[in-house]
Structure formats: C-alpha cells, structure tokens
Amino acid sequence: MDNFETENLDKNLETKTNAQRFLASFNNIDYTIKTRYNFNRSMGFSEAVRKAVALNFTVRKFEDDLISYGRLRNAIVHGNDDYIIAEPHIEVVEKIEKIERLLTTPPRALDTVARRDVLTVNSSKSMREVIMLIASSNYSNLPVFNNENEIIGIANGQKILDSLGKFLITGGKAETFLDAVKIEDMLSKIENSNYYAFANESITVEQALSLFHQNSKLLAILVTKNGGAKEKPLGIMTGSDVLKMNKILESY
C-alpha cells in the first residue's frame, strides 16, 4: 500500500464512527469466511467461525475473539445495521480490523518468511556428499531432484541419521552407507512422503501455518510457481519458521 492509499484510508477511517468501522470489518469477515469455504450464506456467524477453525489458522487463532464479536455485533445494532445503539471501544475496533486484514489480504509466504536461496541436490549424490553439503551449508532440508528435474523428496538431517542407524543395526558398515548408498536409495526406503509438501507461489503465511498444524510430521513446504514437483523451487519453509510466521501475523 503506497502513501497516497494510506492517507486516503486514514481519512476514510476518520469520517466513520467506531461502530461503523466495527460493522464494516465484521461484515467483511463474515462474507470472507462463508464464501471462501462455500458455507451457506444464511449460516450464523458463530457457526461459520467454528466450522472454519479446522480450515484456517487465523480463525483458529482468534476463534474466541470472533465469537465475542458476533455477540457484540448484536449489541451494537438493533433490527438492522442502520440503527446503531452502541459504540465499541477503539481497541476492539482496531483488533477486528487487524483480523479482517489477516483474512482478506493475508501476507504471502514468499514475500515474508520463505527462504528464497533454495539449495538442492541431485539424486545420484552419495550420502557422504549430501551429509557434507548439509554440514557446510547449515541447511538441514535439501530438495532432491532426479535426472528428469523432478523433486523426489527432501534430504533431511534427522532422517539421514535414522537411516544410518537402521543400516548399522542390520549389519551394514558406515563406510558402505556413506559411499555406496545414494540419496535416492535412502529416500526410496522412506515409507511415506508426508514429511514434505508442495505449494504454489500464492501460498499465504496463514496457509503455511495451517499445513504445519494439520501435519505434525511435516518438515518442509516447497514453494513452486504452480505447486508442482517438476518446477523450480522458488522458496522453502521449514518447521523452524513457524515461530517467525506467528510473529508476522501478530504484527501484520
């Protein structure tokens, strides 16, 4: 938002009462939640909020506030929105406007939290080479590409350690694991791929947080233009970014 738009917004807010500002944000939140998740427009606000809790991190974070605002809305107006019978405190108005911004114009993850310098590794590399690359780069999650330029998994430090442990338990030698085993061989033995996810370039901070919340095993989110495995990664987010995401939403 440029200075001209900010000045106009400030002037518009100055001409509105607290109640008008509150109702404008409330109605926008109500509309956004119901249209985004295809809820019936006649559904009550509180019911829509409770249903959206499982779908939206921002709604989940501010669930109690939103339910309270639903009751406050009924105390502010009588019969219809044109007959205002009470004025909310400015602190309440500013908080509901913040929640409205988070729901209607959420910050993109690529613009705020995703690491853009994505370090990748070829699937033919030996475990020794991969481990040395992780150690020298200080990045513990490296996307692995095969010769068809498709991402086949994530070289994760903890998973490599687990794989080495299992290899040693079955009688294998560390030198064999390091030099004879390729990263693609290790990844092929991982039972599932739910430890990483793909997202397109428009993913928001809220959506990224929701993905981490819904999957406790998720280690990384790879951002590509359209969310495809054969596209160049534009950014990466890991579990260590969750705290930063929360701070971004707090200050947005």
Side-chain angles (χ1 to χ4, degrees), residues 161-174:
L161 183 61
D162 292 343
S163 295
L164 172 59
K166 292 176 181 178
F167 190 83
L168 296 175
I169 288 173
T170 57
K173 297 186 180 300

Side-chain angles (χ1 to χ4, degrees), residues 26-156:
F26 179 89
N27 291 334
N28 203 7
I29 290 172
D30 182 53
Y31 175 82
T32 298
I33 291 175
K34 290 175 182 176
T35 54
R36 182 173 297 171
Y37 302 112
N38 296 316
F39 295 162
N40 193 306
R41 290 288 294 135
S42 63
M43 179 184 295
F45 180 74
S46 295
E47 183 183 355
V49 168
R50 291 192 177 99
K51 288 189 67 174
V53 162
L55 306 171
N56 188 290
F57 185 86
T58 298
V59 176
R60 180 164 56 252
K61 182 179 181 66
F62 295 103
E63 178 186 5
D64 292 340
D65 291 306
L66 290 170
I67 297 298
S68 296
Y69 294 156
R71 293 193 291 267
L72 180 57
R73 182 264 175 202
N74 295 332
I76 290 174
V77 298
H78 179 70
N80 58 63
D81 290 352
D82 295 325
Y83 187 30
I84 295 174
I85 60 175
E87 289 285 331
H89 290 294
I90 186 62
E91 293 84 359
V92 172
V93 173
E94 290 175 345
K95 186 162 187 180
I96 195 174
E97 287 176 341
K98 173 183 177 175
I99 298 173
E100 177 196 9
R101 289 195 301 273
L102 286 170
L103 286 173
T104 60
T105 58
R108 284 201 328 162
L110 267 181
D111 300 329
T112 53
V113 68
R115 195 182 79 236
R116 296 262 193 164
D117 56 330
V118 184
L119 182 63
T120 64
V121 62
N122 186 271
S123 60
S124 64
K125 294 293 184 180
S126 70
M127 296 308 302
R128 183 186 295 275
E129 291 173 302
V130 174
I131 292 171
M132 289 177 65
L133 186 57
I134 289 176
S136 62
S137 67
N138 291 320
Y139 293 155
S140 59
N141 293 282
L142 306 183
V144 179
F145 278 81
N146 62 20
N147 292 329
E148 284 72 49
N149 289 320
E150 180 179 10
I151 300 173
I152 62 172
I154 299 286
N156 170 265

Side-chain angles (χ1 to χ4, degrees), residues 141-144 150-156 159 187 190 192-199 211-212 215-223 228-229 236-238:
N141 293 282
L142 306 183
V144 179
E150 180 179 10
I151 300 173
I152 62 172
I154 299 286
N156 170 265
K159 287 194 174 294
L187 291 176
I190 296 178
N192 56 63
S193 60
N194 67 349
Y195 65 96
Y196 67 98
F198 291 100
L211 288 177
F212 281 112
N215 180 4
S216 60
K217 296 181 180 179
L218 186 63
L219 298 175
I221 300 173
L222 283 165
V223 182
I236 187 171
M237 293 169 282
T238 66

Side-chain angles (χ1 to χ4, degrees), residues 113 205 208-209 212 237 241-249:
V113 68
V205 173
L209 274 170
F212 281 112
M237 293 169 282
D241 293 316
V242 168
L243 182 60
K244 183 179 179 181
M245 293 181 199
N246 274 296
K247 288 182 178 179
I248 290 171
L249 294 187

